Amino acid sequence: MSKITVLGLGAMGSRMAARLLAAGHSVTVWNRTSQASQALAALGATQADSPAAAVADAEFVISMVRDDDASRRIWLDERSGALSCMPANSVAIESSTLTPGWVKTLGAQMQLHDIAFLEAPVSGSRLQVDSGQLAYLLGGDPFVVERCLPVLKSMGSAFHHVGELGEGTVAKLATNALMAVQVTGLAEIVGFLKRSGTDANRVLSAMAGTSVWPAVAGYLSGSMLSENFAPQFPVNLIEKDLDYTLQEMGSPQLAPTIDAARKAFLRAIDEGLSESNMTSVVRLYDKI
């Protein structure tokens, strides 16, 4: 078993740490606020009061935070950053959804400190991490990938090495952009069916038997029709990822469908749905 540090204990990071503990690893945790750390300490994790302190004897360090700014603070803060305190021969694993440019910059900093670095964003949400079914989109050296797989297998079941540093993040942003387009498109269809007076369940069941129906649509439409918007992937996070995608594209005119999806999620945020599941965007369209 390995000594593993998890930095960032939000909905995903806390569950990743719990999976690692259940697999028998020695886990140290840090979070900006202490409540999540305390809950994991009750399960056997060691609490640290800074990222720097958390990595003191780690073999692997996993970061799972909201955005580029949070990642920068965790790794590179002059007083409390993890990178300058990581032991020789340890591995840094960045699982946050970031921008490709920042991942490459962070990779260069890791190289300066002679620390192995793996970009490891995930596809899947809370249910998938709880069941160890995350899909990893990996960027980096193949030898580092192989070194990290025994750790990642505690949390995931599919591992796709897509290329060099930055390319894992490109794959993750592309995946989430496609998801966002599917969510907003299906939300409009549900609104259309309700306004037309048809039985939405019956029509969607019929559509599920056709070639246009993606695998995720059953979950999405079920959430929309039942109005179960407990957060799995909140509106504010998918909007952030779409913003990163459009930044990478260089112009909204080059991705008008993705841009339209982002604007729908921005409207949902304005409607007070920021913390609700992404499927709550249906509320923009299902008024009868």
Side-chain angles (χ1 to χ4, degrees):
M1 294 292 104
S2 301
K3 295 180 179 179
I4 304 170
T5 293
V6 179
L7 304 173
L9 302 174
M12 293 296 287
S14 60
R15 287 169 166 81
M16 294 168 82
R19 288 286 306 183
L20 292 166
L21 284 166
H25 296 288
S26 174
V27 179
T28 299
V29 295
W30 173 86
N31 195 56
R32 185 172 54 86
T33 57
S34 62
Q35 185 174 357
S37 299
Q38 292 167 358
L40 285 159
L43 297 177
T46 299
Q47 288 181 259
D49 60 9
S50 70
V55 304
D57 62 351
E59 297 172 78
F60 298 89
V61 179
I62 300 171
S63 168
M64 190 58 153
V65 294
R66 187 184 191 280
D67 54 24
D68 284 8
D69 289 341
S71 174
R72 186 178 293 106
R73 288 192 299 271
I74 276 181
W75 292 112
L76 302 184
D77 184 86
E78 291 183 0
R79 291 180 297 176
S80 62
L83 178 53
S84 63
C85 296
M86 288 184 64
N89 298 318
S90 59
V91 182
I93 303 173
E94 181 55 89
S95 285
S96 315
T97 303
L98 307 171
T99 61
W102 167 242
V103 168
K104 293 175 184 178
T105 298
L106 183 56
Q109 290 296 314
M110 296 287 179
Q111 190 171 29
L112 286 174
H113 287 77
D114 201 27
I115 294 294
F117 180 48
L118 180 66
E119 171 192 28
V122 299
S123 180
S125 190
R126 305 175 193 199
L127 293 175
Q128 286 73 36
V129 68
D130 284 342
S131 59
Q133 297 295 309
L134 291 173
Y136 278 86
L137 302 166
L138 305 171
D141 188 297
F143 294 102
V144 179
V145 172
E146 290 300 317
R147 185 176 171 187
C148 293
L149 279 179
V151 170
L152 301 182
K153 285 180 178 178
S154 297
M155 301 167 286
S157 60
F159 307 93
H160 307 285
H161 184 202
V162 299
E164 299 177 353
L165 288 178
E167 294 182 30
T169 292
V170 169
K172 175 60 185 294
L173 292 176
T175 299
N176 284 3
L178 180 58
M179 170 68 76
V181 169
Q182 291 174 329
V183 170
T184 53
L186 189 55
E188 293 178 20
I189 293 298
V190 169
F192 163 64
L193 295 176
K194 288 187 174 183
R195 288 192 303 275
S196 71
T198 61
D199 184 328
N201 275 299
R202 183 175 296 175
V203 173
L204 291 170
S205 293
M207 290 173 64
T210 71
S211 60
V212 305
W213 193 256
V216 73
Y219 155 67
L220 297 176
S221 61
S223 171
M224 291 176 187
L225 292 174
S226 67
E227 299 187 351
N228 178 7
F229 302 133
Q232 296 294 323
F233 192 174
V235 166
N236 60 359
L237 289 185
I238 198 166
E239 185 279 323
K240 180 267 295 184
D241 294 350
L242 292 173
D243 182 34
Y244 281 175
T245 303
L246 291 166
Q247 289 180 38
E248 190 69 13
M249 291 292 295
S251 169
Q253 286 72 37
L254 296 174
T257 306
I258 295 171
D259 185 44
R262 181 182 178 233
K263 288 175 179 174
F265 286 109
L266 284 170
R267 283 178 56 203
I269 290 171
D270 288 342
E271 294 282 336
L273 299 172
S274 179
E275 302 294 333
S276 298
N277 198 44
M278 60 184 176
T279 49
S280 65
V281 74
V282 72
R283 289 187 169 170
L284 302 178
Y285 309 110
D286 67 356
K287 309 291 192 299
I288 299 176

